[in-house]
Amino acid sequence: MPRVVRARKEGRYWKARLCFGLLHVSASGRILSTMGIVDRIKEIEEEMARTQKNKATEHHLGALKARLAKLRSELLLETGSKGPGGAGSGFEVARSGDGRVALIGFPSVGKSSLLNTLTDTESQAAAYEFTTLTCIPGNIIYNDTKIQLLDLPGIIEGAAHGKGRGKEVIAVARSSDLVLMVLDGGKEQVNNHRAILERELETVGLRLNKKPPNIYFRKKKDGGVKFNSTVPLTQLGPDPALTVGRILYEYKIHNCEMLLREDVSTDQVIDVIEGNRKYVRCLYAYNKIDTITIEDVDRLAREPDAIVISVRHKLNLERLLERMWDYMGLIRVYTKRRGAPPEFREPLVMSSERRGVNVEVACENISRELSEIFNYALVWGRSTKYDPQRCGLQHTLEDEDVVQVVGKTVTQQKREKGYSKKVQEHWDALKAKKKKAALRS
């Protein structure tokens, strides 16, 4: 019998939380039933389905959604701490290149064939399902940049709860810059795989083609809950403070500050409180369009964030690479030394979806110390009004811009506050390095 961690009296039963779930024990100590986390999740989902959705029940639904999000997080943490196959393990694939794209889809939709066509990697492709059993990486050279493409095993419905190797696949998707969801264009209208995969990824905290909500949230040690908003709130019921208060109560948060700067829903409030959501771009690739009519191709092509392709006949693959590049927000920036031509061989590749595409990020990519001695930058390209334009650290760059960074002179650095401290730290580091070299000799 598992060890009881905590128990509390409720009615005529004792509810004791065990290492695997919730145990109902009678007053005499006899075990009545065991309810796992998955069963509790199903109960809450059924209760949400029975509850009428209107303004009066918004606060109750918000509390149920918060309870559901907590249980799903517990489920992921519980399975993720058990080694291989858990939520946090994933496939051990070293990151390479300037961007990472994860191929996700049901079995036999053409993921391996797409990898073989776009890269030099050979991934086994066959007519039967679950041909790919592990993660197979490949590299695409596009616009002088290297993009890592990962062929993942096909996932099935219920992958978020551990069916198949779904959690390992989803763990890789969380570390990717773009999710390329491959769908069978001939069967999508019947199977509705797009909605199923979106639901599975949403369950584990992946937010596809969404931006983080503009909410300020900070926990405190005391002072109670301070709730305010700068815009009218229409999605949190007639009393938004009550709805948010019920959600915070489920997380046992009694002292915090929350400021809503946009009209958000209860799901977005829960995402901010959880703090572990991953916002990633997703592109839906409908494969096998050579097997359907032109009317169906036109209908699929008009879906949001969608593109139609045929790997077998190599149709629209060049357009697919263009869309992947745009969705990852990649740009190339070339550097230039004073009195020398630009270096066009090895560009700096930056992404608007990761750290940003301003001059400061470019300086950090070149050298960590360059941003400290930064004076100004001369920029040539589409992001400027005239060439060259003198710019600061926050200037936003565009694709194929040329940047020349001009550092501060020694006289300018000496006038700065804290210059003597920096010099002392430099000499201390140099002295420690010499001492370490002397000990080795």
Side-chain angles (χ1 to χ4, degrees):
M1 177 178 173
R3 180 175 62 86
V4 176
V5 178
R6 181 171 59 87
R8 61 185 176 90
K9 193 172 183 180
E10 190 175 81
R12 62 191 182 91
Y13 297 125
W14 286 81
K15 288 188 176 181
R17 186 175 298 278
L18 302 184
C19 59
F20 60 86
L22 191 67
L23 184 70
H24 292 264
V25 186
S26 65
S28 60
R30 183 171 58 88
I31 299 176
L32 298 178
S33 63
T34 301
M35 186 187 301
I37 296 179
V38 177
D39 296 328
R40 293 160 65 191
I41 289 175
K42 290 181 180 178
E43 280 194 358
I44 295 175
E45 289 176 345
E46 291 173 359
E47 184 177 352
M48 290 175 61
R50 292 193 302 266
T51 305
Q52 294 183 356
K53 295 177 176 60
N54 52 54
K55 292 183 178 180
T57 60
E58 191 65 39
H59 62 279
H60 177 61
L61 287 172
L64 291 177
K65 289 178 181 179
R67 203 174 303 165
L68 187 63
K70 278 186 63 179
L71 289 174
R72 285 172 175 170
S73 298
E74 288 179 14
L75 182 65
L76 291 175
L77 290 173
E78 181 180 294
T79 54
S81 61
K82 294 181 180 179
S89 57
F91 297 98
E92 295 183 359
V93 180
R95 177 183 285 272
S96 65
D98 303 304
R100 171 181 274 196
V101 179
L103 292 174
I104 287 184
F106 276 75
S108 299
V109 293
K111 299 188 298 297
S112 299
S113 301
L114 181 62
L115 179 74
N116 296 338
T117 304
L118 295 179
T119 68
D120 296 331
T121 308
E122 289 295 330
S123 179
Q124 185 180 359
Y128 53 88
E129 294 185 349
F130 297 104
T131 309
T132 304
L133 300 177
T134 185
C135 180
I136 301 175
N139 291 319
I140 304 173
I141 305 299
Y142 184 76
N143 285 345
D144 299 326
T145 62
K146 185 165 69 172
I147 301 173
Q148 187 182 42
L149 192 64
L150 301 179
D151 180 19
L152 299 169
I155 61 177
I156 58 177
E157 190 171 3
H161 300 302
K163 289 187 178 181
R165 304 194 70 178
K167 289 189 176 178
E168 295 175 276
V169 174
I170 292 170
V172 175
R174 291 182 67 92
S175 66
S176 303
D177 301 313
L178 173 68
V179 172
L180 182 60
M181 192 177 293
V182 184
L183 305 165
D184 191 336
K187 301 178 181 178
E188 178 60 21
Q189 192 170 1
V190 177
N191 296 332
N192 201 17
H193 284 171
R194 173 170 175 167
I196 295 173
L197 291 174
E198 285 178 342
R199 185 169 61 249
E200 295 294 328
L201 297 178
E202 287 274 339
T203 300
V204 295
L206 272 173
R207 300 294 179 257
L208 305 179
N209 297 325
K210 295 180 181 179
K211 293 183 178 180
N214 192 359
I215 299 177
Y216 170 76
F217 174 71
R218 184 174 70 91
K219 294 182 182 180
K220 300 190 302 182
K221 294 183 179 179
D222 53 18
V225 176
K226 294 183 179 179
F227 172 78
N228 206 343
S229 64
T230 59
V231 295
L233 303 176
T234 61
Q235 305 181 56
L236 297 178
D239 190 352
L242 176 61
T243 304
V244 173
R246 291 287 298 272
I247 295 173
L248 293 172
Y249 178 79
E250 292 295 331
Y251 283 94
K252 295 180 174 59
I253 300 174
H254 308 294
N255 301 285
C256 69
E257 291 181 358
M258 180 174 288
L259 176 63
L260 309 184
R261 299 190 180 98
E262 63 175 313
D263 187 13
V264 296
S265 63
T266 54
D267 294 321
Q268 292 174 304
V269 174
I270 293 170
D271 288 347
V272 172
I273 296 174
E274 283 281 345
N276 58 356
R277 302 310 190 215
K278 171 71 174 179
Y279 296 86
V280 62
R281 297 299 304 273
C282 179
L283 181 62
Y284 304 89
Y286 291 97
N287 190 23
K288 304 180 182 179
I289 59 172
D290 53 299
T291 62
I292 58 178
T293 62
I294 190 65
E295 290 80 7
D296 291 334
V297 172
D298 182 69
R299 177 180 56 81
L300 293 175
R302 295 180 184 276
E303 293 286 332
D305 305 304
I307 185 172
V308 291
I309 61 172
S310 174
V311 178
R312 181 180 179 184
H313 297 284
K314 299 183 179 180
L315 298 177
N316 216 21
L317 295 185
E318 188 64 29
R319 176 59 180 163
L320 173 64
L321 294 176
E322 293 179 8
R323 294 286 296 276
M324 288 168 54
W325 173 274
D326 293 337
Y327 270 59
M328 284 189 287
L330 297 177
I331 68 166
R332 296 159 294 173
V333 175
Y334 302 99
T335 58
K336 177 186 179 302
R337 295 178 182 272
R338 181 179 296 179
E343 295 286 343
F344 290 114
R345 294 182 180 179
E346 296 182 2
L348 295 175
V349 181
M350 301 185 294
S351 172
S352 59
E353 299 297 322
R354 280 183 285 175
R355 299 173 59 194
V357 291
N358 54 25
V359 175
E360 184 177 6
V361 177
C363 293
E364 292 176 354
N365 288 344
I366 298 172
S367 173
R368 294 181 180 179
E369 299 178 355
L370 189 58
S371 58
E372 297 179 2
I373 63 170
F374 177 86
N375 190 10
Y376 63 90
L378 296 176
V379 182
W380 293 259
R382 290 182 292 179
S383 67
T384 60
K385 297 180 181 179
Y386 47 88
D387 294 330
Q389 180 177 329
R390 181 168 171 165
C391 305
L393 287 173
Q394 301 306 317
H395 175 75
T396 301
L397 301 171
E398 294 189 15
D399 191 30
E400 295 186 324
D401 277 0
V402 177
V403 178
Q404 176 185 330
V405 179
V406 179
K408 296 177 182 177
T409 62
V410 176
T411 305
Q412 288 176 320
Q413 294 182 45
K414 287 181 178 180
R415 292 174 182 172
E416 287 186 343
K417 186 178 180 180
Y419 175 76
S420 58
K421 184 179 178 181
K422 291 181 181 179
V423 173
Q424 187 63 41
E425 289 176 353
H426 172 75
W427 282 110
D428 291 342
L430 186 61
K431 190 185 297 183
K433 186 176 180 180
K434 289 182 179 179
K435 186 177 180 180
K436 191 176 181 180
L439 291 174
R440 285 181 180 178
S441 60

